[in-house]
Amino acid sequence: MRRRRDERGSAVVEFSWLAILLMVPLVYVMLGVFDVQRASYGATAATRAAGRAFVIVPDGVSEDEARARAFDAARLAMKDQGMELGSDDLTITCDPVCLQPGSTVTVTLDTQVRLPLTPDALGGEPPAIHISASHTEAFGDYREAKGSG
């Protein structure tokens, strides 16, 4: 006579292990997506704020001061998203000349977002996702020329 094995309670154990095995990668992917989305939104807001800060400088402000204002505005926008802005991440270009009527200012931000929970002990470059944003702002045809350029 064959004895039947009692399997009561094993479904709970199997479900728990399966849930853990599926949920850990899902949570990791979601953390990565949230970090990239946060950085993307911050980069877009930073380029927009920097372009506006550069264009609406008061009378008598030099181009260098306008660039400093734009960088401060971009740094604040990135800080709102919990990110740091490096000095090499932001590029401001003018076409044809900065702070002159009819010119345009293009602000470009390029940064890297590290994947979450990656230890530095692995060596080499940490895995990261490249984020880029650009915003163009017109200085205006009917404005008084500012700056020294």
Side-chain angles (χ1 to χ4, degrees), residues 16-63:
S16 298
W17 279 108
L18 187 61
I20 289 172
L21 289 175
L22 293 177
M23 291 300 262
V24 169
L26 179 66
V27 168
Y28 180 77
V29 167
M30 294 300 291
L31 287 174
V33 167
F34 292 153
D35 281 350
V36 170
Q37 179 63 33
R38 178 174 48 103
S40 178
Y41 180 74
T44 303
T47 55
R48 187 172 185 223
R52 287 181 174 185
F54 190 89
V55 169
I56 62 169
V57 293
D59 292 334
V61 173
S62 70
E63 182 181 334

Side-chain angles (χ1 to χ4, degrees), residues 8-147:
R8 282 184 294 166
S10 65
V12 173
V13 174
E14 291 170 6
F15 178 78
S16 298
W17 279 108
L18 187 61
I20 289 172
L21 289 175
L22 293 177
M23 291 300 262
V24 169
L26 179 66
V27 168
Y28 180 77
V29 167
M30 294 300 291
L31 287 174
V33 167
F34 292 153
D35 281 350
V36 170
Q37 179 63 33
R38 178 174 48 103
S40 178
Y41 180 74
T44 303
T47 55
R48 187 172 185 223
R52 287 181 174 185
F54 190 89
V55 169
I56 62 169
V57 293
D59 292 334
V61 173
S62 70
E63 182 181 334
D64 291 336
E65 291 173 5
R67 287 182 186 273
R69 283 176 54 128
F71 183 78
D72 288 342
R75 185 177 50 210
L76 182 63
M78 290 294 279
K79 190 175 181 179
D80 284 345
Q81 297 301 317
M83 300 191 64
E84 293 295 322
L85 179 66
S87 59
D88 297 337
D89 294 342
L90 193 72
T91 306
I92 300 172
T93 56
C94 301
D95 183 33
V97 180
C98 290
L99 302 177
Q100 295 298 318
S103 66
T104 59
V105 177
T106 302
V107 181
T108 306
L109 185 125
D110 291 313
T111 189
Q112 301 279 337
V113 178
R114 279 184 67 172
L115 291 179
L117 306 173
T118 54
D120 292 330
L122 296 177
E125 285 292 315
I129 296 175
H130 179 80
I131 301 291
S132 179
S134 180
H135 180 76
T136 301
E137 191 79 36
F139 188 72
D141 289 330
Y142 304 105
R143 293 184 59 176
E144 181 180 343
K146 299 179 184 179

